[in-house]
Amino acid sequence: MASFKAVVIDKTEAGAAAPVIRDFTETDLMDGDVTVRVSHSTVNYKDGLALTGKAPVVRRFPMIPGIDFAGTVEVSTHPEFKPGDAVLLNGWGTGETHLGAYAERSRVKGDWLVKLPDGMSPAEAMSIGTAGYTAMLSLMALERHGLSPDRGAAVVSGAAGGVGSVAIALLATAGWHVIASTGRTSEEAYLKSLGAAEIIPRDELAGKGRPLGKERWAAGIDTVGSTTLANMLSMTKYAGAVAACGLAGGMDLPASVAPFILRGVALLGIDSVMAPKALRQEAWNRLARELDREKLASMTRTIKLDDVIEAGRDIIDGKVRGRIVVEIG
């Protein structure tokens, strides 16, 4: 009976227990047609919520958290994958309802997997992770809406976080004038190194705003929600759009319909968890081509599996800049 090391969250009478690192038995893995030897994972905001119990992310117990992984196929009965294939996974309920990524093994449905793009290492894939993949889905949605850099600036909220950091790099490479909104103005040099042209303090988008503000940008990528998203919409130019992909500031949206009916502004919802496989593969192929690897390296630090629990606390406390790669196997 093979066992391996994993971060595990159990349930007690009082609710979810604190996560621990312990041996987990391979026979206790969940159903799936592909078994992967996991080499790398990452720490996203959702992972932090699961690890700290700050939100009810975990919905079965025991649970191995972690919504992203990269690794090598060991066993497969799925027609698209064979032993030795390099693969990655984002979402599909892993780390929530299906045993997740913070472990040396994972058994999943092959339909959930994406082949690692040529020229991309597993560590680079997890440096990108769901955060970067979500940033690319957001950029693709803005492009499908017909927006381009000649229309004006693009604003990014939560700019120093994982999604925000990659979004800035991608938008800048695509030729956008990028305005970065952050509560950590000390990160100005970091944000400008990624391609931000302007830095605005988070307070400019916080608090109750007017139904319509001065038109300041043609596009936006929002990771915060709540009043931040409402204010971004109110200052979006005629026929512009904002891609909403996060809720770090809250799930509410205290907005007016004015931007929609007076300026034709669009709100584009971004779902990374259940996105169709073809869209996922397109996003990852574009990330392999378009994301500057030096910028990616500059926003990334690497930790071991033993450090994941502490990193989960740090990301919830707003202490994490950019991306974290977790070396597992």
Side-chain angles (χ1 to χ4, degrees):
M1 184 180 294
S3 64
F4 53 88
K5 189 164 70 170
V7 176
V8 181
I9 301 174
D10 281 304
K11 189 173 185 180
T12 68
E13 291 184 2
V20 296
I21 297 177
R22 65 173 174 83
D23 286 340
F24 200 84
T25 304
E26 190 165 339
T27 55
D28 289 333
L29 289 175
M30 298 176 70
D31 290 343
D33 49 11
V34 181
T35 301
V36 178
R37 177 186 288 271
V38 179
S39 64
H40 296 81
S41 185
T42 184
V43 182
N44 299 288
Y45 190 79
K46 183 182 281 188
D47 298 316
L49 292 173
L51 289 162
T52 60
K54 294 291 186 181
V57 171
V58 175
R59 298 195 290 278
R60 79 170 297 277
F61 298 91
M63 174 54 65
I64 298 172
I67 65 173
D68 292 331
F69 69 67
T72 304
V73 173
E74 286 195 325
V75 179
S76 174
T77 58
H78 190 281
E80 288 186 35
F81 301 101
K82 63 183 185 303
D85 284 347
V87 295
L88 61 88
L89 179 144
N90 311 105
W92 293 114
T94 52
E96 303 175 67
T97 57
H98 192 95
L99 295 175
Y102 296 151
E104 295 171 329
R105 297 285 189 286
S106 183
R107 186 182 298 130
V108 297
K109 295 180 180 180
D111 288 342
W112 296 351
L113 297 171
V114 171
K115 290 187 177 180
L116 193 69
D118 291 341
M120 179 181 287
S121 71
E124 286 174 329
M126 288 300 98
S127 181
I128 296 168
T130 284
Y133 151 67
T134 300
M136 177 55 84
L137 290 178
S138 300
L139 174 58
M140 290 163 59
L142 293 170
E143 291 172 346
R144 287 196 302 273
H145 193 69
L147 296 174
S148 56
D150 60 346
R151 294 282 301 277
V155 64
V156 177
S157 65
V163 178
S165 294
V166 180
I168 290 169
L170 290 171
L171 287 163
T173 297
W176 288 87
H177 178 97
V178 183
I179 301 171
S181 167
T182 181
R184 292 180 269 175
T185 52
S186 60
E187 300 289 7
E188 179 173 351
Y190 164 74
L191 295 171
K192 288 189 172 179
S193 75
L194 299 179
E198 296 180 49
I199 313 296
I200 61 173
R202 178 171 56 199
D203 291 348
E204 288 194 23
L205 297 176
K208 184 177 179 180
R210 291 177 296 176
L212 282 177
K214 181 181 178 181
E215 295 178 76
R216 297 178 64 179
W217 37 72
I221 296 178
D222 175 57
T223 70
V224 179
S226 193
T227 54
T228 295
L229 177 54
N231 282 303
M232 283 177 65
L233 290 164
S234 76
M235 290 182 268
T236 300
K237 292 183 176 183
Y238 189 89
V242 175
C245 60
L247 46 70
M251 292 184 67
D252 60 319
L253 181 55
S256 162
V257 298
F260 308 120
I261 63 176
L262 298 179
R263 288 186 182 159
V265 170
L267 176 58
L268 310 175
I270 307 300
D271 168 48
S272 64
V273 176
M274 307 298 286
K277 190 165 185 173
L279 188 64
R280 291 169 179 266
Q281 193 71 65
E282 180 186 357
W284 277 101
N285 290 342
R286 285 191 59 176
L287 285 162
R289 294 193 307 267
E290 299 173 25
L291 182 58
D292 186 305
R293 302 298 173 86
E294 290 186 3
K295 289 182 179 179
L296 180 63
S298 74
M299 68 177 80
T300 303
R301 67 183 176 95
T302 301
I303 64 174
K304 300 293 187 182
L305 185 62
D306 291 345
D307 303 317
V308 160
I309 296 170
E310 181 180 358
R313 291 192 291 266
D314 287 345
I315 200 168
I316 295 302
D317 291 339
K319 298 178 181 178
V320 172
R321 181 181 82 176
R323 304 289 296 130
I324 297 174
V325 170
V326 184
E327 288 185 345
I328 293 180

